[in-house]
Amino acid sequence: MVLELYLDLLSQPCRAIYIFAKKNGIPFQMHTVDLRKGEHLSDAFAQVNPVKKVPAMKDNDFTLSESVAILLYLTHKYKVPDHWYPQDLQARARVDEYLAWQHTTLRRSCLRALWHKVMFPVFLGEQVPSETLAATLAELDVNLRVLEDKFLQDKAFLVGPHISLADLVAITEVMHVVAAPSLKGIPSWLPGTIELRQWWERSSSVRPMRSS
């Protein structure tokens, strides 16, 4: 049976898995779980993931949740290029290091920035207090600086000369901010240096067009 992926592409982790599978030619059947309609809370979806969160994966009678776990499963099962999750011990450890760091740092601050800068004022008509917005963007700036100073440094990508799972996970988080309607490219209010923006342009080339 074909691999089954339960995704909502509004979710950053879901997009990372979708992009990875598409770029590597991994055959899969996609089941859209509409978060806005609460489909992830249904009894039917709970049979796939009792935690009732996306993404989730089903491979015959084996089910798996958590985006990083799913990405690693796919790298091990399918013959994907080595650069995604290098065999070299230290390069692989750098990928693991980033994946462990990003959960409560860059992901959180990108999501908060999107809501405070775009979703609340533009879509919900609720203005965010200026001090709250300033604190949100300051937190994002701190995490982007760590992304650049610790992980990117003077390299083309976060681990070395080639894109890896670390870049894919990172770019889907930043993409969450810049892909909002009416925003094109990296918005001027998004913190970051020229080097970080150049990394964004290189890493963004990984995004495939979604099949109809």
Side-chain angles (χ1 to χ4, degrees):
M1 294 179 63
V2 69
L3 181 79
E4 298 176 77
L5 296 177
Y6 295 78
L7 310 172
D8 184 334
L9 296 185
L10 288 178
S11 157
Q12 311 96 297
C14 288
R15 285 199 301 274
I17 292 170
Y18 177 86
I19 291 171
F20 183 78
K22 281 290 188 178
K23 292 297 287 187
N24 288 287
I26 297 173
F28 67 92
Q29 179 182 0
M30 177 170 165
H31 301 282
T32 298
V33 181
D34 195 325
L35 297 175
R36 291 170 297 181
K37 295 180 180 179
E39 292 179 356
H40 59 300
L41 302 175
S42 68
D43 292 338
F45 182 65
Q47 298 300 310
V48 179
N49 184 10
V51 181
K52 298 184 177 181
K53 292 183 178 181
V54 291
M57 182 204 80
K58 188 174 182 180
D59 191 7
N60 294 318
D61 60 352
F62 177 73
T63 59
L64 188 65
S65 62
E66 298 299 328
S67 59
V68 170
I70 294 172
L71 285 169
L72 294 178
Y73 180 88
L74 297 179
T75 64
H76 294 314
K77 177 170 181 174
Y78 298 94
K79 294 181 179 180
V80 302
D82 182 71
H83 63 80
W84 288 110
Y85 196 56
Q87 291 297 314
D88 177 81
L89 177 62
Q90 293 184 357
R92 176 173 288 198
R94 290 299 182 199
V95 175
D96 291 337
E97 181 183 32
Y98 177 79
L99 295 177
W101 172 80
Q102 56 87 30
H103 283 290
T104 58
T105 49
L106 187 63
R107 183 178 183 205
R108 177 179 181 272
S109 57
C110 282
L111 187 59
R112 284 170 58 88
L114 176 69
W115 276 94
H116 290 174
K117 184 67 178 180
V118 179
M119 301 302 290
F120 279 127
V122 176
F123 292 98
L124 300 179
E126 300 179 14
Q127 293 301 313
V128 175
S130 58
E131 60 272 18
T132 300
L133 179 58
T136 295
L137 295 183
E139 178 188 275
L140 177 58
D141 185 45
V142 168
N143 287 320
L144 287 173
R145 289 182 184 278
V146 174
L147 177 68
E148 180 178 1
D149 295 342
K150 174 172 175 51
F151 294 102
L152 182 61
Q153 299 178 1
D154 59 353
K155 303 185 296 294
F157 294 99
L158 297 181
V159 173
H162 304 292
I163 197 168
S164 71
L165 289 180
D167 300 280
L168 176 60
V169 170
I171 205 65
T172 53
E173 295 299 338
V174 180
M175 187 192 305
H176 202 61
V177 178
V178 305
S182 80
L183 297 179
K184 184 177 181 181
I186 299 182
S188 59
W189 53 264
L190 183 66
T193 65
I194 293 176
E195 290 77 12
L196 201 59
R197 290 165 185 263
Q198 290 172 342
W199 164 81
W200 155 264
E201 296 297 338
R202 288 190 294 270
S203 299
S204 294
S205 64
V206 76
R207 295 174 294 173
M209 294 297 292
R210 183 178 179 184
S211 302
S212 58

